[in-house]
Amino acid sequence: MVVLNKIYTRTGDDGTTALGSGERRPKYDLRVSAYGTVDETNATIGVVRLHLATAPALDAMLNAIQNDLFDLGADLAVPQRDGKAERLRVLASQVDRLERDIDALNAPLADLTSFVLPGGKPAAAHLHVARTVCRRAERIMVELAAQPSEPVSDAAIQYMNRLSDFLFVASRSVNDNGTGDVLWVPGKNR
């Protein structure tokens, strides 16, 4: 259980922050950037949900995803170390659920004949913003995982990779199952 009764601590005034393990890192540290960008992804999804009054099933999926993203942030905030007690980790079952949701949303979609431009309905446009922030978080996580002594679980990276796919498919879903997509027209403005 998390209890937050005092929001400011002044401990970050020196430009550092504490990981979940208690270790202090500079606020520009790659691990801090990774879980910060996961948090940013979560916030963008919160904005999407403001536009889903007519899509309760998708809203429920995004609610589950927002909870998963807190799990993922906790996973990143406590680097896995040998001999240390296991903390909250993203699981393959969470990735599997995302894949099932992608398949369910994708089944009724119109076939794509071009790349999709971000746009259409407001929810779709916000889903595209969330997708691009998610991709940035994934890139940071992959960069972090490539560093010596900076473990990132395969499931965490897979989750973010699938999440960007989910957000793309969800954008098409809210755009009238793809019929309202704004398609790229190569060379249109030559």
Side-chain angles (χ1 to χ4, degrees), residues 113-142:
T113 58
S114 181
F115 289 105
V116 176
L117 299 178
K121 293 184 177 180
H126 286 294
L127 282 159
H128 280 289
V129 172
R131 175 185 55 77
T132 62
V133 175
C134 177
R135 283 285 191 208
R136 180 163 28 98
E138 180 189 9
R139 289 190 302 271
I140 295 168
M141 289 168 60
V142 169

Side-chain angles (χ1 to χ4, degrees), residues 67-186:
N67 279 278
D68 288 347
L69 290 174
F70 261 84
D71 291 353
L72 194 130
D75 185 328
L76 290 169
V78 182
Q80 191 168 0
R81 303 280 189 228
D82 291 336
K84 296 285 185 178
E86 194 57 29
R87 298 291 187 109
L88 184 61
R89 299 290 174 213
V90 170
L91 303 174
S93 60
Q94 290 167 292
V95 177
D96 294 341
R97 190 196 72 247
L98 264 183
E99 289 177 353
R100 287 191 302 273
D101 288 346
I102 291 167
D103 292 342
L105 289 174
N106 196 54
L109 295 183
D111 291 339
L112 270 177
T113 58
S114 181
F115 289 105
V116 176
L117 299 178
K121 293 184 177 180
H126 286 294
L127 282 159
H128 280 289
V129 172
R131 175 185 55 77
T132 62
V133 175
C134 177
R135 283 285 191 208
R136 180 163 28 98
E138 180 189 9
R139 289 190 302 271
I140 295 168
M141 289 168 60
V142 169
E143 183 180 3
L144 176 66
Q147 305 301 311
S149 303
E150 290 293 352
V152 177
S153 75
D154 291 343
I157 292 171
Q158 291 165 3
Y159 188 91
M160 290 307 278
N161 185 272
R162 292 311 175 285
L163 179 56
S164 62
D165 295 334
F166 173 92
L167 295 167
F168 176 75
V169 171
S171 74
R172 298 197 66 225
S173 176
V174 299
N175 268 343
D176 299 320
N177 285 330
T179 61
D181 285 339
V182 180
L183 298 179
W184 172 48
V185 179

